[in-house]
Amino acid sequence: MAKGMERRSLKAQETKRKLMEKAVELIGQRGYSGVSVSQICAACGVSKGTYYVYYNSKEDIVYYLASEFNETLYQRLNEELDYENAQSARQLYQHYVEIYVDQVIQYGRMFSRAYQEGMLRTGISQEQSRSDLPEEHISRIIDFGIQTGEFRPDVDKAAFWEQLTITKLGSNYAWSIEESVDAQHQRERALRWLGSLELFLLKR
């Protein structure tokens, strides 16, 4: 009985993941408004009823994509940012940028395209996307930099996070529409763009 339940659970997880991955592929190809739940289901060979077992709407796919990305990023930041042994806040910030960019590259261009299109069309909130999770680390890095004297004491953390978010979205959008740009070029460009925002934190 237990093994049977475990198999059903694994199959359910596989189906949910398959629907999400196919949605990413289709949205990346056709745009968010150009893809319907019926098309996603047809591409996966499942009924619409099956889709609604796992998701309440097409928008749920975007919420799931965003929240999964940010929760995974948050976990990586927790594991890889070593505040106790950090040489400087600047080092921590650059490491944050590297972790973020590498995760974007790992998820791939199609994910980035679907994410951008979905965010634009649904107006997803910070709570739905869980972007508040990685923001915690930026706040902590800024506090660390103020304490060490590297960063200005009057840094507006909310304004900096907004600027960082806009730059992230711009970098990812550029990659999502530029077929000729490979992953390595995108990585170098994104590191340069996001890394340069450190200038807004430094003492003048």
Side-chain angles (χ1 to χ4, degrees), residues 77-160:
L77 293 168
N78 287 341
E79 294 171 356
E80 299 180 38
L81 288 182
D82 186 356
Y83 291 90
E84 292 184 6
N85 298 308
Q87 296 293 316
S88 69
R90 296 180 68 181
Q91 180 190 62
L92 283 171
Y93 175 71
Q94 294 301 328
H95 196 188
Y96 172 98
V97 168
E98 290 172 2
I99 293 169
Y100 169 79
V101 171
D102 285 342
Q103 180 163 312
V104 171
I105 299 298
Q106 179 184 337
Y107 271 61
R109 187 196 305 273
M110 199 63 74
F111 171 88
S112 186
R113 187 175 295 167
Y115 183 92
Q116 296 287 333
E117 179 72 14
M119 292 279 282
L120 176 66
R121 299 299 180 186
T122 63
I124 187 171
S125 69
Q126 182 172 351
E127 182 179 29
Q128 290 166 326
S129 69
R130 298 316 317 274
S131 62
D132 56 317
L133 294 177
E135 184 181 6
E136 289 179 18
H137 279 282
I138 288 297
S139 178
R140 188 174 177 183
I141 290 169
I142 291 174
D143 286 341
F144 185 89
I146 292 173
Q147 291 171 9
T148 61
E150 297 170 78
F151 296 162
R152 295 185 292 109
D154 61 341
V155 171
D156 185 331
K157 291 191 287 187
F160 181 79

Side-chain angles (χ1 to χ4, degrees), residues 27 30-36 39 58 117 121:
I27 293 170
R30 308 174 190 175
Y32 181 80
S33 58
V35 177
S36 67
Q39 290 170 328
K58 189 172 69 169
E117 179 72 14
R121 299 299 180 186

Side-chain angles (χ1 to χ4, degrees), residues 51-70:
Y51 179 92
Y52 289 110
V53 168
Y54 304 104
Y55 302 104
N56 294 321
S57 64
K58 189 172 69 169
E59 287 80 4
D60 266 9
I61 288 286
V62 180
Y63 303 157
Y64 183 83
L65 285 176
S67 62
E68 182 192 59
F69 180 88
N70 283 310

